[in-house]
């Protein structure tokens, strides 16, 4: 199993705990995140590697599952990363991703933008593009 854009390794650790005895790898482009994630693990699983989500260094069809949590919010080429995730997944494998719900699910973000509009009405355009459906 592979966690792409693993950051601090929280999802990777949960995957390893849920699948004891199975190899679980977390990959992230930030060596600082990888170092931190490695410092949190106990034993030899999961493993963490530095790598680029848009050019994953794994063979086609290697993984039974590939996940990305919040990755697509922070990379400039999410479609390329998704294709890479699909490429390294075995036929029938699960490829899963999660992102924040920025269309109203992030209450703290909505409050910040509403405050910005109260201070500067010009911020309404930006806020409305994030939280309103097109008419």
């Amino acid at each position: 199993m592979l966690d792409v854009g693993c950051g601090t390794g929280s999802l990777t650790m949960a995957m390893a705990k849920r699948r004891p005895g199975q190899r679980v790898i977390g990959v992230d482009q930030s060596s600082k995140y990888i170092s931190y994630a490695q410092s949190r693990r106990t034993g030899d699983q999961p493993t963490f590697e530095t790598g680029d989500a848009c050019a994953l260094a794994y063979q086609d069809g290697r993984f039974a599952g590939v996940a990305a949590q919040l990755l697509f919010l922070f990379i400039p080429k999410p479609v390329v990363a998704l294709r890479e995730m699909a490429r390294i997944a075995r036929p029938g494998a699960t490829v899963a991703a999660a992102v924040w719900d920025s269309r109203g699910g992030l209450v703290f973000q909505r409050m910040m933008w509403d405050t910005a509009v109260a201070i500067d009405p010009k911020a309404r355009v930006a806020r409305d593009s994030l939280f309103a459906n097109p008419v």
Side-chain angles (χ1 to χ4, degrees), residues 114-132:
D114 287 346
T115 302
V117 170
I119 295 168
D120 181 358
K122 293 176 188 172
R124 181 179 310 276
V125 173
R127 183 208 51 199
D128 292 350
S129 72
L130 293 170
F131 296 103

Side-chain angles (χ1 to χ4, degrees), residues 14-89:
M15 292 165 67
K17 185 176 181 181
R18 186 174 174 122
R19 303 276 192 230
Q22 191 172 30
R23 185 158 190 223
V24 177
I25 302 170
V27 64
D28 199 283
Q29 72 176 9
S30 169
S31 60
K32 290 183 180 185
Y33 275 143
I34 294 299
S35 293
Y36 178 79
Q38 287 172 331
S39 76
R40 296 181 54 222
R41 75 180 190 157
T42 57
D44 61 351
Q45 282 295 327
T47 58
F48 293 96
E49 302 173 357
T50 303
D52 182 352
C54 293
L56 294 167
Y58 306 106
Q59 65 191 22
D60 294 1
R62 175 174 174 187
F63 293 96
V66 183
Q69 181 171 285
L70 307 180
L71 170 75
F72 295 113
L73 295 167
F74 301 106
I75 61 172
K77 297 178 182 176
V79 173
V80 174
L82 181 59
R83 284 187 187 131
E84 279 292 279
M85 291 170 63
R87 177 186 64 77
I88 62 171

Side-chain angles (χ1 to χ4, degrees), residues 14 26 78 95 104 106 117:
V95 176
L106 291 172
V117 170

